[in-house]
């Protein structure tokens, strides 16, 4: 999950993960660089992160492990971030403002009825084994997701409305839709090489982690991997936008976040982001440290409590063991109203976050929603107690709330062992809900994915990173995202299935008018809020740090005040300039973006352009 905390998503982001939509035609002209040769992979053992000798290594400390290196299965933020480095998507996002820009596709256009989309595939993108990347690779990727349930695990929502995908020529991709779909310029799906992947047997079990180097066409090539250890990538010197400045990129896993911070101090790693952010204490300790820069900016994630609404599959079969009291909306609202969000912001995040309201963070202003005063489930412990009484869950003589079975209610709350925020907020929940007569058992695990998928939890800390188009994080709460059977893995976040929400989801997906789509999205957020299955507590800042004696410059997204880790794209690691650099590539640093020397002309037609977001990240950080 991931974290998806799951994306955080708890599981994160597999469940599906996560887009911006607009009716747009783009004509891109590119003068591109093709650099020959690939860097030799370095020793995979941990080493000093400083840029020395001929191997400029950027080492990133991460507190999340990889769930899968298959783009068809992965949902955690770390995994999906790595896939953005390995494979091109049809389109990308401008790091300055999240507008759609060319990726594997140089331009695209739709038919007058919006049911046929034609993409021109660039002719200067090659797979790392030397073969040309073509429209056939994209067609195979999408068709496989349409016909193979296993391949649709992570991103199946993007192709559910596809009727037919063809590649009439190496540079022409045609997608025919069943009905209009607003995400056609925000298909956040890694395109894989057909000639390698068509040889794979069961895609639901293939994790892409046994044979190296892995063939890709992104700015980096995966060369080595050790589960719960590290992920090693080398610069793709032939990448069409231009080669990364660092020769190698190493993601090193730290189970203990304080150990990761200590490694940054010692110079053993170049960058640390936390899980996904540094704690206030860690950030404060690094603020004035020599050769260390702390980045603290509004983030693209939300931090929430997810309620088990009664895990079930599409076939109607129920599974898991969520507490039946949580099926009562009054109980969910009572728990909601007994959480003091302001206290969490002040005492846990210490101001490095904004109080939670709707499902989409305020960074995405077009889709940001907050409840009206009459709708708001504000902090009100007395009202919470009344709701529990009304629902029939009264206190006994010892002050304990009793379930329908006559036993005291104690909720199991899944939390990430590597996330200090989960543990801190969990202690407050123990206090706040304890005053209501409800017990709390914090179940802090290294692996929250298994109980999450099995539905063996009552509540869980959740979170997702949202993309410039919100479709993905909206899709994970639809009935269609449920697993086919209890034995399968679906794209669902926490098993929500509501017909009214589904109807709104279908409407927003087919709506091309930016303002009208935004209105529908806000109605969906309102519905989620009223259901009470998702309690958004906070929108954490992106708090991260890097060594200035190892990294001369690195791009944030958005460039004015944004995050480095977990971007909608590969801009940070691709743009990073080693401290030992002669500075000739400073333009790719923290000020504007020069994309491989290209200038893209974007022609917006129809109703115009609009932006949004994608995925979740913490079931170990969903994307």
């Amino acid at each position: 999950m991931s974290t998806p905390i799951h994306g955080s998503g708890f599981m994160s982001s597999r469940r599906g993960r996560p887009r911006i939509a607009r009716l747009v035609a783009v004509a891109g002209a590119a003068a591109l660089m093709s650099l020959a040769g690939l860097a030799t992979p370095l020793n995979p053992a941990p080493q000093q992160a400083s840029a020395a000798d001929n191997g400029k290594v950027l080492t990133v400390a991460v507190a999340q492990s990889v769930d899968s290196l298959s783009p068809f299965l992965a949902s955690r933020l770390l995994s999906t971030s790595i896939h953005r480095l390995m494979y091109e998507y049809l389109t990308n996002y401008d790091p300055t403002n999240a507008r759609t820009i060319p990726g594997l596709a140089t331009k695209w256009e739709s038919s007058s009825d919006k049911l046929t989309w034609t993409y021109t595939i660039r002719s200067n993108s090659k797979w790392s084994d030397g073969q040309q990347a073509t429209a056939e690779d994209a067609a195979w990727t999408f068709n496989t997701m349409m016909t193979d349930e296993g391949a649709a695990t992570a991103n199946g929502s993007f192709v559910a409305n596809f009727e037919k995908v063809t590649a009439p020529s190496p540079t022409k991709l045609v997608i025919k839709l069943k009905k209009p779909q607003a995400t056609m310029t925000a298909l956040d799906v890694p395109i894989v090489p057909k000639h390698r992947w068509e040889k794979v047997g069961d895609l639901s079990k293939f994790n892409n982690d046994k044979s190296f180097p892995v063939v890709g066409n992104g700015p980096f090539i995966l060369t080595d991997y050790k589960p719960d250890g590290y992920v090693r990538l080398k610069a793709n010197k032939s990448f069409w936008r231009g080669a990364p400045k660092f020769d190698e990129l190493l993601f090193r896993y730290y189970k203990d976040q304080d150990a990761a911070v200590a490694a940054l101090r010692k110079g053993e790693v170049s960058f640390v982001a936390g899980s996904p952010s540094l704690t206030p204490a860690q950030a404060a300790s690094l603020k004035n440290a020599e050769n260390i820069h702390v980045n603290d900016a509004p983030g693209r994630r939300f931090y929430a409590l997810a309620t088990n609404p009664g895990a079930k599959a599409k076939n109607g079969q129920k599974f898991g063991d969520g507490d039946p009291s949580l099926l009562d909306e009054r109980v969910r609202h009572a728990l909601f109203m007994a959480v003091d969000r302001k206290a969490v912001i002040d005492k846990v995040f210490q101001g490095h976050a904004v109080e939670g309201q709707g499902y989409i963070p305020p960074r995405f202003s077009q889709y940001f929603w907050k409840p009206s005063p009459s709708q708001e489930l504000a902090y009100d412990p007395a009202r919470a107690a009344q709701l529990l009484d009304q629902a029939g869950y009264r206190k006994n003589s010892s002050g304990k709330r009793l379930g329908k079975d006559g036993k005291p209610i104690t909720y199991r709350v899944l939390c990430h062992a590597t996330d200090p925020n989960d543990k801190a907020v969990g202690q407050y929940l123990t206090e706040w809900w304890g005053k209501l007569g409800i017990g709390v058992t914090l179940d802090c695990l290294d692996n929250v994915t298994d109980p999450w998928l099995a539905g063996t939890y009552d509540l869980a800390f959740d979170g997702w990173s949202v993309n410039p188009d919100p479709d993905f994080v909206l899709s994970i709460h639809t009935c269609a995202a449920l697993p086919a059977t209890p034995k399968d893995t679906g794209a669902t976040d926490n098993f929500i299935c509501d017909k009214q929400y589904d109807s709104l989801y279908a409407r927003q997906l087919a709506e091309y008018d930016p303002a009208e789509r935004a209105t529908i999205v806000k109605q969906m957020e309102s519905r989620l809020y009223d259901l009470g299955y998702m309690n958004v507590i906070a929108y954490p800042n992106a708090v991260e740090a890097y060594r200035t004696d190892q990294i001369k410059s690195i791009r944030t997204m958005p460039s004015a005040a944004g995050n480095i880790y977990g971007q909608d794209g590969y801009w940070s690691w691709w743009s990073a300039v080693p401290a030992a650099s002669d500075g000739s590539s400073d333009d790719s640093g923290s000020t504007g973006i020069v994309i491989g020397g290209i200038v893209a002309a974007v022609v917006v037609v129809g109703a115009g352009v609009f932006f949004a977001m994608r995925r979740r990240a913490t079931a170990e950080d969903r994307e």
Side-chain angles (χ1 to χ4, degrees), residues 10-80:
F10 231 109
M11 314 185 38
S12 170
S13 173
R14 201 173 284 282
R15 297 157 119 31
R17 301 117 340 54
R19 315 92 176 83
I20 173 168
R22 64 192 65 80
L23 176 58
V24 62
V26 174
L32 306 160
M33 254 184 195
S34 178
L35 302 178
L38 297 175
T40 302
L42 303 178
N43 188 327
Q47 55 191 274
Q48 190 75 5
S50 59
D53 302 319
N54 294 321
K56 298 174 182 176
V57 182
L58 198 170
T59 303
V60 179
V62 294
Q64 181 185 58
S65 58
V66 169
D67 56 343
S68 177
L69 288 173
S70 165
F72 294 112
L73 303 178
S75 65
R76 292 182 184 173
L77 180 61
L78 173 60
S79 307
T80 56

Side-chain angles (χ1 to χ4, degrees), residues 23-218:
L23 176 58
V24 62
V26 174
L32 306 160
M33 254 184 195
S34 178
L35 302 178
L38 297 175
T40 302
L42 303 178
N43 188 327
Q47 55 191 274
Q48 190 75 5
S50 59
D53 302 319
N54 294 321
K56 298 174 182 176
V57 182
L58 198 170
T59 303
V60 179
V62 294
Q64 181 185 58
S65 58
V66 169
D67 56 343
S68 177
L69 288 173
S70 165
F72 294 112
L73 303 178
S75 65
R76 292 182 184 173
L77 180 61
L78 173 60
S79 307
T80 56
S81 295
I82 290 171
H83 289 141
R84 287 184 181 276
L85 302 173
M86 296 169 59
Y87 305 105
E88 276 278 46
Y89 295 21
L90 288 181
T91 60
N92 209 325
Y93 300 103
D94 188 323
T96 62
N97 53 22
R99 287 181 299 179
T100 296
I101 60 175
L104 184 60
T106 61
K107 61 181 180 180
W108 45 92
E109 60 184 359
S110 69
S111 59
S112 58
D113 62 4
K114 312 300 187 299
L115 293 178
T116 301
W117 285 76
T118 302
Y119 302 81
T120 299
I121 303 301
R122 67 177 59 258
S123 59
N124 61 337
S125 177
K126 288 189 175 183
W127 299 110
S128 53
D129 62 0
Q131 291 203 31
Q132 181 69 41
T134 69
E136 185 59 34
D137 295 306
W140 185 89
T141 298
F142 291 127
N143 279 313
T144 301
M145 293 168 61
M146 292 164 61
T147 57
D148 186 319
E149 192 170 292
T153 299
N155 297 305
S157 63
F158 286 121
V159 302
N161 182 45
F162 287 12
E163 180 176 297
K164 186 178 182 181
V165 182
T166 57
S169 76
T171 58
K172 184 177 182 179
L173 176 72
V174 179
I175 300 177
K176 292 187 176 181
L177 305 172
K178 299 172 185 176
K179 56 186 178 182
Q181 179 170 322
T183 62
M184 296 307 290
T185 60
L187 297 173
D188 289 341
V189 176
I191 303 301
V192 301
K194 174 186 176 182
H195 66 284
R196 308 291 293 197
W197 282 82
E198 65 183 350
K199 302 172 184 178
V200 175
D202 187 348
L203 287 172
S204 68
K205 297 179 180 179
F206 179 71
N207 283 312
N208 198 25
D209 59 359
K210 296 296 188 292
S211 179
F212 301 99
V214 174
V215 174
N217 64 340

Side-chain angles (χ1 to χ4, degrees), residues 30 59 93 107 133 148 204 234 271 273 307 450 453 488 517 587 597 606:
T59 303
Y93 300 103
K107 61 181 180 180
D148 186 319
S204 68
K234 66 179 179 180
F271 178 98
T307 303
D450 291 344
L453 292 174
D488 295 309
R517 184 174 183 232
D587 283 345

Side-chain angles (χ1 to χ4, degrees), residues 102-373:
L104 184 60
T106 61
K107 61 181 180 180
W108 45 92
E109 60 184 359
S110 69
S111 59
S112 58
D113 62 4
K114 312 300 187 299
L115 293 178
T116 301
W117 285 76
T118 302
Y119 302 81
T120 299
I121 303 301
R122 67 177 59 258
S123 59
N124 61 337
S125 177
K126 288 189 175 183
W127 299 110
S128 53
D129 62 0
Q131 291 203 31
Q132 181 69 41
T134 69
E136 185 59 34
D137 295 306
W140 185 89
T141 298
F142 291 127
N143 279 313
T144 301
M145 293 168 61
M146 292 164 61
T147 57
D148 186 319
E149 192 170 292
T153 299
N155 297 305
S157 63
F158 286 121
V159 302
N161 182 45
F162 287 12
E163 180 176 297
K164 186 178 182 181
V165 182
T166 57
S169 76
T171 58
K172 184 177 182 179
L173 176 72
V174 179
I175 300 177
K176 292 187 176 181
L177 305 172
K178 299 172 185 176
K179 56 186 178 182
Q181 179 170 322
T183 62
M184 296 307 290
T185 60
L187 297 173
D188 289 341
V189 176
I191 303 301
V192 301
K194 174 186 176 182
H195 66 284
R196 308 291 293 197
W197 282 82
E198 65 183 350
K199 302 172 184 178
V200 175
D202 187 348
L203 287 172
S204 68
K205 297 179 180 179
F206 179 71
N207 283 312
N208 198 25
D209 59 359
K210 296 296 188 292
S211 179
F212 301 99
V214 174
V215 174
N217 64 340
F220 289 90
I221 300 166
L222 178 63
T223 58
D224 196 11
Y225 165 66
K226 180 181 179 181
D228 297 324
Y230 59 81
V231 179
R232 187 179 295 280
L233 304 100
K234 66 179 179 180
N236 181 357
K237 301 298 184 180
S238 297
F239 183 51
W240 68 271
R241 285 195 197 273
K245 315 304 183 297
F246 277 88
D247 298 315
E248 191 169 47
L249 178 60
L250 177 69
F251 291 94
R252 187 184 298 166
Y253 174 70
Y254 286 84
K255 181 178 179 180
D256 182 273
Q257 192 163 305
D258 286 330
V261 171
L264 182 74
R265 286 183 176 279
K266 297 175 184 177
E268 295 172 353
V269 300
S270 315
F271 178 98
V272 62
S275 60
S277 293
L278 298 177
T279 66
Q282 290 166 343
S285 73
L286 295 171
K287 198 69 176 179
N288 297 313
E290 185 178 4
N291 296 324
I292 291 178
H293 173 74
V294 176
N295 181 53
D296 187 350
R300 57 184 279 249
R301 299 178 60 76
F302 63 79
Y303 180 81
L305 266 176
T307 303
N308 185 341
K312 64 179 179 181
K314 289 180 185 176
N315 64 5
Q317 187 174 348
K318 297 179 180 179
F319 58 97
D321 59 1
D323 195 295
S325 65
L326 295 172
L327 300 178
D328 193 315
E329 186 177 285
R330 293 168 295 184
V331 173
R332 300 193 297 272
H333 284 185
L335 297 178
F336 208 133
M337 298 175 76
V339 173
D340 188 344
R341 291 166 191 72
K342 186 177 186 304
V344 171
I345 301 302
D346 294 342
K347 298 179 180 180
V348 177
F349 290 98
Q350 296 180 27
H352 297 276
V354 177
E355 188 174 334
Q357 299 186 75
Y359 187 62
I360 294 174
R363 171 164 157 178
F364 305 99
S365 58
Q366 181 171 1
Y367 298 103
F368 178 62
W369 170 90
K370 60 182 179 181
S372 65

Side-chain angles (χ1 to χ4, degrees), residues 378-416:
Y379 179 57
D380 190 343
R383 177 56 180 157
Q386 292 175 1
L387 286 174
L388 292 172
D389 288 340
Q390 292 172 10
Y393 298 99
R394 298 184 176 275
K395 291 182 178 180
N396 62 11
S397 58
S398 300
K400 304 294 185 182
R401 295 276 174 183
L402 302 180
K404 302 296 183 177
D405 59 1
K407 298 179 181 179
I409 297 175
T410 297
Y411 292 134
R412 300 159 300 164
V413 180
L414 269 180
C415 79
H416 301 84

Side-chain angles (χ1 to χ4, degrees), residues 277-601:
S277 293
L278 298 177
T279 66
Q282 290 166 343
S285 73
L286 295 171
K287 198 69 176 179
N288 297 313
E290 185 178 4
N291 296 324
I292 291 178
H293 173 74
V294 176
N295 181 53
D296 187 350
R300 57 184 279 249
R301 299 178 60 76
F302 63 79
Y303 180 81
L305 266 176
T307 303
N308 185 341
K312 64 179 179 181
K314 289 180 185 176
N315 64 5
Q317 187 174 348
K318 297 179 180 179
F319 58 97
D321 59 1
D323 195 295
S325 65
L326 295 172
L327 300 178
D328 193 315
E329 186 177 285
R330 293 168 295 184
V331 173
R332 300 193 297 272
H333 284 185
L335 297 178
F336 208 133
M337 298 175 76
V339 173
D340 188 344
R341 291 166 191 72
K342 186 177 186 304
V344 171
I345 301 302
D346 294 342
K347 298 179 180 180
V348 177
F349 290 98
Q350 296 180 27
H352 297 276
V354 177
E355 188 174 334
Q357 299 186 75
Y359 187 62
I360 294 174
R363 171 164 157 178
F364 305 99
S365 58
Q366 181 171 1
Y367 298 103
F368 178 62
W369 170 90
K370 60 182 179 181
S372 65
S374 62
Q375 182 184 17
E376 184 180 8
L377 298 170
Y379 179 57
D380 190 343
R383 177 56 180 157
Q386 292 175 1
L387 286 174
L388 292 172
D389 288 340
Q390 292 172 10
Y393 298 99
R394 298 184 176 275
K395 291 182 178 180
N396 62 11
S397 58
S398 300
K400 304 294 185 182
R401 295 276 174 183
L402 302 180
K404 302 296 183 177
D405 59 1
K407 298 179 181 179
I409 297 175
T410 297
Y411 292 134
R412 300 159 300 164
V413 180
L414 269 180
C415 79
H416 301 84
T418 57
D419 192 336
N421 292 330
D422 283 8
K423 297 175 183 177
V425 176
Q427 293 304 315
Y428 279 107
L429 294 181
T430 301
E431 175 187 342
W432 294 330
W433 292 352
K435 293 178 180 178
L436 294 176
I438 291 174
V440 172
T441 298
L442 283 179
D443 196 8
C444 295
L445 306 172
D446 291 331
N447 173 21
V448 301
T449 300
D450 291 344
W452 189 288
L453 292 174
T456 54
Y457 66 97
D458 297 321
L459 297 106
F461 287 103
D462 195 5
W464 285 87
S465 291
V466 181
N467 278 11
D469 188 282
D471 180 72
F472 180 83
V473 292
L474 298 174
S475 73
I476 59 179
H477 296 306
T478 61
C479 300
L482 295 174
T485 73
K487 295 182 179 180
D488 295 309
T489 299
T492 185
D493 180 19
N494 62 321
F495 305 102
I496 293 175
C497 179
D498 177 71
K499 297 301 182 183
Q500 182 176 331
Y501 179 88
D502 276 16
S503 176
L504 290 168
Y505 175 78
R507 285 177 55 200
Q508 69 82 28
L509 185 61
E511 181 56 66
Y512 281 91
D513 180 80
E516 181 58 29
R517 184 174 183 232
T519 296
I520 300 171
V521 168
K522 291 177 181 178
Q523 292 173 358
M524 296 176 69
E525 295 181 77
S526 177
R527 179 60 178 168
L528 272 182
Y529 185 90
D530 290 342
L531 288 172
Y533 292 124
M534 290 290 296
N535 179 353
V536 178
I537 298 175
Y539 309 114
N541 285 3
V543 185
E544 48 204 359
Y546 64 88
R547 293 198 62 91
T548 56
D549 57 350
Q550 295 180 20
I551 301 175
K552 181 177 182 179
S553 64
I554 191 168
R555 177 166 302 287
T556 61
M557 184 178 182
S559 55
N563 55 294
I564 296 172
Y565 179 72
Q567 293 182 357
D568 295 303
Y570 39 66
W571 309 114
S572 55
W573 314 126
W574 174 74
S575 72
V577 177
S581 169
D582 61 8
S584 60
S585 300
D586 280 357
D587 283 345
S588 66
S590 59
T591 56
I593 174 123
V594 177
I595 304 175
I598 75 163
V599 177

